[in-house]
Amino acid sequence: MNPMRSLSDISIQFVKGVGPARKKIFQRLGIESVEDLLYFFPRRYEDRRDLVPISRLKVGEFQTVTGKILGSASRRSWYTKKHVLEVVLEDDGGHLVCTWFNQPYLMNYFKEGRHAVCYGKVDMYKDRLQMISPEWEIIEEKEDAQLNLGRIVPVYPLTRGVTQRFLRKTIHACLERYQNQLIDELPVPLRNKYKLYNIKRGIRQAHFPDSFPDQENAMKRISFEEFYFFQIAVLARRLSITRKPGFAHTMADAEVLKFIDGFPFALTRAQTRVIGEIRQDMAKDTPMLRLLQGDVGSGKTLVAIFGCVTAARNGFQSCVMAPTEILARQHYENISRMIEQGHLADLRAALLTGAVTGKEKEKLCARIRSGEVDLVIGTHALMGGEAAFRNLSFIVVDEQHKFGVRQRALLAEKGHNPDILIMTATPIPRTLCITLYGDMDLSVLDELPPGRGEVKTRLYPEDRAEEVYALAREQLKKGRQVYVVYPIIEESEKLDLKAARTMFNHFKKETFKDFRVGLVHGQLKAKEGQEIMDQFKNGKIDLLVATTVLEVGIDVPAAGVMVIEHAERFGLAQLHQLRGRIGRGKEDGLCLLIGEAETDDSQQRLKAFVSTTDGFKIAQRDLEIRGPGRYFGRHQHGLNELKVANPFTQLDILELARQEATALTGADSKLEKEQNRRVGEIIRRRYPSYLTDVAAG
Ligand code: ADP
Ligand code: MG
């Protein structure tokens, strides 16, 4: 084998103990190569250097114990009908009862005489020490004991078909075999300056640390590297855009005032401020690249229109790109209404989506080419070859996270270095924003227009679903419209979940038979989905059953109630987007969650969600809960995402890395200098879409 072959090219199946059969299991964890496996880090560690004897366990604390299995017994609980397994562990000084519910197969593992390790919260019940549903491992062989006892032990994220023991053994074997082939990409002067471990020591200590400080240093080293290269990519990108010649748009004070005064309502202070920021940017003769963050309903559209008007007053065209057909149309309707409201009749807007075809499309494209249209609103169709502009100078991209850097660049090519405004309703805390989108300037709409209703949120357990339906019925009788959201569309054998289609049928025939019930989901054709949304909007449907297609930007002000079933299955950001669909009118909204937290994480998520409607607080909490080490694999999902490093918990490391990256790109933005060539190669490999402009190596 070629010793220089990169570890990312060696398939996981060549690692001892894996083989073709188990390869699939690793793929489920996002692990394809030896490199992926070495970068698959523990989600936490357990200190098993000195295990606590059972007699010294502290009630109320999370602790790890080991002991011999004295016996086990299973029964059915007489009132919940659940299967209960009780296992008694014994060590020299005491007994501990471990209890699991509804996992009868566990009986096969807890055989008398074996040794087990359990980790969980210690309880006292009727004078007995116990743990409910602890994490567990059976220790069998001597070799097992070396990796699983008497040391700080890594605990990995798991998937079906693998155990902690197996992962530890496999990763250990992988380290033994391949660690000498790890290539240290971080420049030596930086490593020396910050006293960072070399990569081999870093990776090793991240998996099997000798001490907790060693583990911390290891993660610091690995995160520093990730931050450093990613920041170089981001900064180089920023420089490559902002150093080009662009359009200088001017707008006299009087014209800005006229724009602001044209609307029948007062702009929020935030809107006025952001308009000022955009005006300044657009006046410069270099391209603008600005991220506009604003919670749902904060009035981003108006701000975007200001940019379009500015372009038009200077004789240029603009466009707004939305991620879906429905959203593009909605934007078009909103913008058309605002054009009317703001007395901007001379701004000629058109809609171009995949639904516009044939003659109609030809005609529209001809008008765009000749400059008879000032503002084109559309979907991906805007990026197509036929959509050529006469002089495009301002671009709005809605919902940043739905588009990649690549697509953004493609659209930008339709003009000569146009100004770009990217809008997102997903609030991103500032530190993360600088890390992920440091190539853009940031504007924030942190204020909602006055006079909006409040949204109340309540959580109900599964067995009170009927109560929730009754509440929904009450609201329907008052003439309010209701959404009911499900995580899945069809029922499946694997997941024991209520599905949108089943419940739609059930509601139609039973629960809500005296109301008009509709169903919308992502598998519908754009046109069908649009029809149903229109019917709901026009009040022809009272209750709309939906999947998460609702998540982005659907706007029906009269819908005041939302029921979300299996709420624990949704991410916090997703829940927030969903809830943003209600309380858009003057009346208060009601958000009823049905669900039961299955894990600590989901419990914290639901708690956070019920306690606040502030999008920024929710985003912050979301990131705290998810934390580091949850990122599977490396360099493979979204490229603009960090896999290991966490900008919240490692802010100090981020700042150092960013400082170094700024120094390097400031002196050599295209990474052309001899001493930066290697860095350039690394960036091109890791973050290819960021470096459209950097000289090829
Ligand atoms: P976003 O896109 O940020 O979710 P929109 O731009 O769609 O929000 O605005 C939501 C609604 O608020 C629209 O109906 C818009 O006309 C209205 N609106 C925008 N700015 C104001 C304001 N300053 N005062 C009152 N209503 C506003
Ligand atoms: Mg919007």
Side-chain angles (χ1 to χ4, degrees), residues 34 65 86 127 233 246-247 251 352 355 368 412 417 440 468 504 655:
V34 165
V65 292
E86 289 184 331
D127 287 343
F247 296 89
M251 188 82 160
L352 176 61
I368 297 173
N417 308 326
M440 302 182 225
V468 173
F504 164 69
E655 267 159 13

Side-chain angles (χ1 to χ4, degrees), residues 659-670:
Q659 228 168 291
E660 293 296 337
T662 309
L664 184 115
T665 47
D668 180 15
S669 71
K670 294 192 173 177

Side-chain angles (χ1 to χ4, degrees), residues 403-416:
F403 295 104
V405 173
R406 257 265 178 272
Q407 286 167 305
R408 208 164 83 201
L410 264 177
L411 188 58
E413 279 164 21
K414 302 256 162 173
H416 296 280

Side-chain angles (χ1 to χ4, degrees), residues 296-297 300-301 327 330-331 334 398-399 423 425 553 581 584:
V296 278
K300 294 186 289 296
T301 315
L327 283 180
Q330 197 170 284
H331 266 309
N334 276 349
D398 192 23
E399 298 299 341
M423 306 200 292
R581 301 304 111 221
R584 295 174 84 83

Side-chain angles (χ1 to χ4, degrees), residues 278 290-294 299-305 320-323 331 335 394-403 420-426 440 443 445:
I278 290 174
R290 189 169 275 281
L291 181 65
L292 172 60
Q293 277 188 20
K300 294 186 289 296
T301 315
L302 184 147
V303 170
I305 291 179
V320 176
M321 181 164 73
H331 266 309
I335 288 174
F394 178 67
I395 294 179
V396 181
V397 180
D398 192 23
E399 298 299 341
Q400 147 81 3
H401 60 287
K402 304 277 166 181
F403 295 104
I420 302 180
L421 181 71
I422 289 161
M423 306 200 292
T424 176
T426 311
M440 302 182 225
S443 287
L445 288 178

Side-chain angles (χ1 to χ4, degrees), residues 42-53 57 62-66 117-120 135 137 145 147-155 168 207-213 215:
R43 69 185 153 85
R44 62 180 183 86
Y45 301 82
E46 260 177 51
D47 190 350
R48 296 188 188 166
R49 286 172 299 187
D50 303 301
L51 291 173
V52 190
L57 284 175
F62 280 85
Q63 288 184 304
T64 310
V65 292
T66 182
V117 180
C118 288
Y119 168 82
E135 288 185 30
E137 285 169 45
L147 282 183
N148 297 296
L149 290 176
R151 65 176 339 148
I152 297 172
V153 175
V155 180
R168 280 176 209 138
H207 290 287
F208 297 100
D210 292 330
S211 69
F212 282 106
Q215 184 271 333

